[in-house]
Amino acid sequence: MAQTLASLQLGVEATFKRVSDTRKLLTEVVEFFSSIPDNKDWVHYIFRDLREIVHESLPDTGIFFMNGDYLKGIELPQEFYDYSLGVFSGTKNNFYDRLVYPVRDPNGLVMGLCGWDPTSSYKYLDSKTYGYRAKYNVMYGMENLYSYYTGIGNVFIVEGIACCNYLRSKGYNSLALMGSYLSFYVIEILKRFGTRCVCIVDNDEAGKKWGQRVKTLLPLARVYYSIAAKDVDDTRRVSEETLIRDLNSLNTLFTFTETLKQL
């Protein structure tokens, strides 16, 4: 029995080291691509043309554009092609011509990547790396968990990265599920926020379904959905001034909202 337990412990330690090493290397990958001289301009133009969010208003998250033409002219470190990173499959670039969002752990290390392309049938493409399962046990923005735990403001939980980054650009605390699945692991994280946890679900069947799950498993949390558009990002296009006023009113004793409705 002792030998079996020792073997299990060695296996756990080996897995932990592999995950840790992968995250450190993936963090180096993000630092490399996000520091390319023209990257800031590429990201700025994409946000301006497609999202209408000023890139400079976003926190420094390491967002980068995987520019296929530029990559043809540079030699990448061989370790970047490691299959476990999820960036390449052999020599194929998995995020070719996509805007790439790094998904970080609470220590700021990159767990995985989420590539966005609104013209593709697969709008969001998640990497598959050690210790990273985007739809189940991860939230976008987890590098801010420690400061959110010790803060006093609401923490807005949304489904998509675009909604999350919009809220963060306006100074709000926000995390994104990157989907509509709410795992028990994520539930345990959100419990710590108590009444500060404000979920804004998408105004569709899937969104309201996870909103009901939140109400069941997180009785202290508040759940809203937009009545002006599908989600937060679309709502700010319709009436940003009203949306901001509604978000701020959630801290008042008598809450009245025009764009948000409580589930």
Side-chain angles (χ1 to χ4, degrees), residues 18-229:
R18 183 171 59 183
V19 169
S20 178
D21 290 345
T22 300
R23 291 184 180 180
K24 289 177 182 178
L25 183 53
L26 196 51
T27 302
E28 292 180 18
V29 171
V30 169
E31 291 173 351
F32 178 89
F33 286 116
S34 62
S35 64
I36 290 176
D38 294 331
N39 178 70
K40 187 175 181 179
D41 289 335
W42 293 335
V43 175
H44 171 78
Y45 291 138
I46 292 171
F47 270 92
R48 185 194 65 182
D49 294 341
L50 299 176
R51 285 295 182 188
E52 303 170 13
I53 298 176
V54 180
H55 176 229
E56 285 74 12
S57 67
L58 293 174
D60 183 16
T61 57
I63 300 171
F64 63 92
F65 179 60
M66 190 67 88
N67 186 302
D69 293 332
Y70 185 91
L71 293 180
K72 294 176 182 177
I74 60 175
E75 183 176 351
L76 300 177
Q78 192 59 40
E79 57 266 29
F80 285 11
Y81 291 93
D82 191 314
Y83 180 78
S84 68
L85 299 181
V87 182
F88 294 92
S89 296
T91 57
K92 176 188 175 184
N93 188 330
N94 294 330
F95 298 104
Y96 186 86
D97 281 352
R98 284 179 179 264
L99 192 68
V100 182
Y101 297 95
V103 183
R104 300 178 184 271
D105 66 17
N107 295 315
L109 294 177
V110 179
M111 295 183 286
L113 305 173
C114 184
W116 177 72
D117 179 2
T119 66
S120 171
S121 56
Y122 295 96
K123 190 173 181 180
Y124 287 101
L125 183 63
D126 296 311
S127 65
K128 296 178 175 61
T129 64
Y130 289 121
Y132 171 77
R133 297 183 70 193
K135 302 300 182 184
Y136 300 98
N137 297 327
V138 170
M139 287 183 289
Y140 179 78
M142 286 177 63
E143 67 273 15
N144 297 314
L145 274 180
Y146 296 136
S147 63
Y148 289 177
Y149 283 150
T150 57
I152 58 175
N154 290 330
V155 181
F156 293 97
I157 315 302
V158 292
E159 292 186 40
I161 292 176
C163 296
C164 177
N165 274 335
Y166 168 70
L167 290 171
R168 293 167 70 181
S169 75
K170 294 298 180 180
Y172 298 105
N173 303 325
S174 185
L175 300 165
L177 295 179
M178 298 184 294
S180 58
Y181 184 84
L182 198 65
S183 69
F184 284 106
Y185 174 77
V186 172
I187 285 289
E188 289 301 314
I189 292 176
L190 299 183
K191 277 182 180 178
R192 302 187 184 186
F193 297 124
T195 57
R196 295 170 54 219
C197 181
V198 180
C199 297
I200 306 180
V201 305
D202 285 2
N203 189 359
D204 57 21
E205 183 178 351
K208 291 180 180 179
K209 185 176 180 180
W210 83 259
Q212 292 295 342
R213 183 173 170 80
V214 168
K215 293 179 67 174
T216 300
L217 300 176
L218 295 170
L220 294 180
R222 290 168 285 167
V223 184
Y224 293 85
Y225 64 93
S226 173
I227 55 176

